[in-house]
Amino acid sequence: MAEPTVDYAAVFQALPGAVALVTPQLIFADANPEFVRLRRLPREQIIGRFLPEDNLENNSAEPLLLRVLASLRRAVETGEQSFVELQRLEAEDREQPGVWHERYFNVTNIPVFGADGRVTLLLHRLEDVTELIRAREVALTLQEAMLPAPRPIGRHPAAVRYRPAAEALNVAGDWYDLVELPGDRIAVAVGDVVGHGLSAAGVMGQLRSALTAASVVPEGPARALEVLGQYARTVDGAENTTVATAFVDWENDTITYSSAGHPPPALLRPDGTVEFLDRATDPPLAARPQHGPRTQAVASFRADAVLVLYTDGLIERRGEDIDTGLARLADSLVRHRADPCEALADAVLGDLLPSGDAADDTALVVVRL
């Protein structure tokens, strides 16, 4: 049976995404209807033009154009795909002249090789992700609304931070909480729901509220996590959530803590040593076939120590052992141990997430003891 004849030119024109063909000399050779529509220029004003002369209509386009040019040249020189991610551009409203709107684009440049193995064309793809970014901003606003606002906890200084992942278009389920308890005590907690999106954020809100209520019982953090674990079994999407919680008691200078599969809290002592509180770790919530009791442990502290709880986005990196991330955190805490809580929280984020390009969401709580 003869193979069917494929009209690749027709396929190119019918592609739902915005794509163009660019020569290695950066001349537009072809463009499909979606690319023409997205560029808001007649086809004859695109084809045959030198790309740097392709005016994007406003000053905000110049940095984007420079990045696109660099990406195209990189694809020609290396013969490999090159990406320009999440670029912001101001675009004028066609129906309201003088009104400008933010647009966000991903740009992909893919080399096309000739029979001699050399790059003959570049497949230049524009992806308008404006609506995804707007949806994410709405989701982040909702998520932040479910987290407690920064506020003093009794007479003890504390700082909280939440940083969303840079590369994800969905929110995640990281959370933090600080709860005043009877006497000179507080409960501190961080947690991480598996998954992303509004569903994960909704589960996060339910679990955070449930743990806040469970923390006021007098039995301690292990019992609070037991109650939370029972509740998690009734909430879709709550299984395998990790949580760490610590009850700080200034009357006895002790920290009683318990962890459900979460990275260990860090205790920075006044002498500059760091202890990771890892002697009371059980499986994540609803991960065991049968519900059971959880463990807790006690650590003592001296005045001016610092307690730090965080989610795994702060320390974990792809292809890297977790001990490396813990060592990086300990080093940062030691170097900035004299800083006030707010400055210390910023310094830790700056050291461990220097470019702000975390692959996962990060929650951080810093309490000066």
Side-chain angles (χ1 to χ4, degrees), residues 225 228 240-245 258-263 280-285 294:
L225 288 186
L228 184 65
N240 293 314
T241 294
T242 67
V243 189
T245 183
S258 185
S259 173
H262 201 82
T281 299
D282 290 309
L285 301 181
R294 292 185 175 271

Side-chain angles (χ1 to χ4, degrees), residues 101-104 129-140:
H101 302 288
E102 290 183 344
R103 308 296 296 180
Y104 293 88
V129 295
T130 303
E131 296 308 316
L132 290 176
I133 295 299
R134 288 175 178 167
R136 184 188 189 223
E137 289 172 354
V138 171
L140 286 174

Side-chain angles (χ1 to χ4, degrees), residues 135-147 162 170-176 191-209 231 235-238 241 361:
R136 184 188 189 223
E137 289 172 354
V138 171
L140 286 174
T141 300
L142 173 62
Q143 184 177 31
E144 290 173 359
M146 291 190 290
L147 294 174
Y162 174 77
N170 287 317
V171 297
D174 292 33
W175 88 83
Y176 60 82
D192 187 358
V193 174
V194 175
H196 293 80
L198 288 176
S199 60
V203 173
M204 173 272 288
Q206 295 179 73
L207 295 182
R208 187 192 70 80
S209 297
Y231 177 66
V235 179
D236 290 341
T241 294
D361 288 24

Side-chain angles (χ1 to χ4, degrees), residues 55-131:
N55 185 3
L56 297 184
E57 301 179 347
N58 67 89
N59 292 334
S60 74
E62 183 176 352
L64 171 59
L65 180 58
L66 293 176
R67 286 188 286 271
V68 169
L69 290 175
S71 174
L72 286 163
R73 290 174 177 135
R74 187 162 54 247
V76 172
E77 293 170 359
T78 66
E80 298 177 352
Q81 293 186 26
S82 181
F83 304 92
V84 185
E85 296 182 347
L86 288 183
Q87 301 302 312
R88 175 181 173 275
L89 182 67
E90 293 283 340
E92 188 172 13
D93 192 316
R94 285 183 171 182
E95 298 181 357
Q96 302 180 70
V99 177
W100 296 79
H101 302 288
E102 290 183 344
R103 308 296 296 180
Y104 293 88
F105 295 88
N106 289 334
V107 182
T108 307
N109 296 306
I110 304 171
V112 179
F113 299 93
D116 60 357
R118 302 177 65 180
V119 176
T120 59
L121 287 170
L122 294 165
L123 187 66
H124 177 61
R125 179 173 183 265
L126 299 182
E127 182 183 11
D128 188 342
V129 295
T130 303
E131 296 308 316

Side-chain angles (χ1 to χ4, degrees), residues 35-42 57 91-94 103:
F35 188 93
V36 173
R37 185 197 69 79
L38 192 59
R39 288 305 320 278
R40 301 184 179 186
L41 290 172
E57 301 179 347
E92 188 172 13
D93 192 316
R94 285 183 171 182
R103 308 296 296 180

Side-chain angles (χ1 to χ4, degrees), residues 333-351:
L333 291 173
V334 170
R335 287 189 289 108
H336 303 287
R337 64 181 180 274
D339 291 353
C341 279
E342 297 289 341
L344 180 56
D346 290 336
V348 168
L349 288 180
D351 286 346

